[in-house]
Amino acid sequence: MRISVVDVGSNTVRLVVADAQGGVPLPVHTAKWRLRLSEQVTPGEDIADEAVERLVQAVGEASATAARWGAAEPLAFATAVVRGAPNRLRVLR
């Protein structure tokens, strides 16, 4: 079984595609997209539309990359920069 995970961090979006047979996931592909969200967001304020668009594009590219490697839709995690933003629900949608 091939799985994928996307980690939306404060600086990058990272993708890991792994084979999960035998109980231990073994990475077969990794990729990252530099977004530098932490430089574009002020704590307590919305994430700007331009940053949201770049984030959506990076996650979309990560999902497409995972599919090309034969993995299911990625499980995604987001950093505190996203989780703490007042517009987080719109960003996550």
Side-chain angles (χ1 to χ4, degrees):
M1 178 168 111
R2 192 159 275 184
I3 61 171
S4 60
V5 176
V6 171
D7 176 16
V8 177
S10 59
N11 291 309
T12 60
V13 170
R14 295 176 186 257
L15 167 70
V16 176
V17 177
D19 284 334
Q21 296 170 341
V24 178
L26 298 173
V28 294
H29 181 74
T30 62
K32 67 180 175 179
W33 294 262
R34 292 193 192 284
L35 297 183
R36 302 183 189 265
L37 284 178
S38 62
E39 295 174 6
Q40 302 170 44
V41 175
T42 302
E45 293 184 10
D46 284 352
I47 298 175
D49 289 343
E50 180 180 314
V52 172
E53 289 173 18
R54 291 179 59 218
L55 174 57
V56 167
Q57 181 179 359
V59 171
E61 290 175 17
S63 181
T65 300
R68 283 194 302 275
W69 280 86
E73 188 73 24
L75 178 62
F77 296 90
T79 186
V81 170
V82 174
R83 293 190 321 263
N87 64 335
R88 67 186 164 274
L89 294 177
R90 185 177 72 81
V91 173
L92 294 173
R93 272 192 298 275

